[in-house]
Amino acid sequence: MSTPNRVRITINGVHYAISTPEPEEYVLSLAQELDDQVRGVLEANPNISFNDVMVLCAMNYVDAYKRSEENADRMRTQISEYLEDAAKARIELDEVKRENVRLRRQIEGQEIKGQTFLEQK
């Protein structure tokens, strides 16, 4: 397990120290995104409390998370269906190849019989 990093972030002018195994740059980018969203809500609604802003931001992030999970589930389902279709197509291709080989052998057998027949005449 990696050693946690202590990262100092600022949200709406308030400083926080976070202990995380994530890289500092990543945590700072998350904090910047949250700070931008908080400031946007505060600018649009100057009379709203900071707690209300945080609840709205949290709701937005939970909504985005749920939607991304649903999209990921749909994509997993589509990929599974594509893999099943590919497997069926592979089986059909193998069957066609076997039939092709069988027919080639049959044709070659008839050609040999035909040559033999012509040679006998």
Side-chain angles (χ1 to χ4, degrees):
M1 219 158 142
S2 63
T3 306
N5 297 321
R6 285 196 50 87
V7 181
R8 291 192 51 81
I9 63 170
T10 304
I11 306 294
N12 194 41
V14 179
H15 303 286
Y16 301 91
I18 296 178
S19 180
T20 176
E22 300 297 333
E24 181 176 2
E25 298 79 22
Y26 176 71
V27 175
L28 290 173
S29 70
L30 293 178
Q32 184 62 54
E33 185 178 332
L34 180 58
D35 188 54
D36 291 345
Q37 188 173 11
V38 166
R39 288 179 186 277
V41 172
L42 285 170
E43 286 173 10
N45 305 287
N47 296 327
I48 193 169
S49 73
F50 183 71
N51 284 343
D52 289 344
V53 170
M54 293 307 288
V55 167
L56 290 174
C57 290
M59 288 298 293
N60 284 338
Y61 283 111
V62 169
D63 177 52
Y65 172 77
K66 289 285 189 186
R67 290 178 190 268
S68 68
E69 284 293 308
E70 289 169 2
N71 288 336
D73 287 342
R74 276 195 294 279
M75 288 171 54
R76 281 187 207 91
T77 299
Q78 285 180 337
I79 289 170
S80 293
E81 290 170 359
Y82 293 153
L83 290 174
E84 287 175 18
D85 291 346
K88 288 177 186 175
R90 202 172 300 116
I91 290 169
E92 290 174 10
L93 177 62
D94 289 343
E95 289 173 1
V96 168
K97 284 180 178 179
R98 281 193 299 273
E99 179 68 9
N100 190 6
V101 167
R102 187 188 67 75
L103 291 172
R104 283 179 192 253
R105 286 182 184 151
Q106 186 179 359
I107 290 171
E108 289 171 1
Q110 287 179 355
E111 288 175 358
I112 291 173
K113 287 180 186 176
Q115 287 175 356
T116 307
F117 179 73
L118 290 174
E119 290 171 3
Q120 291 176 354
K121 285 188 173 183

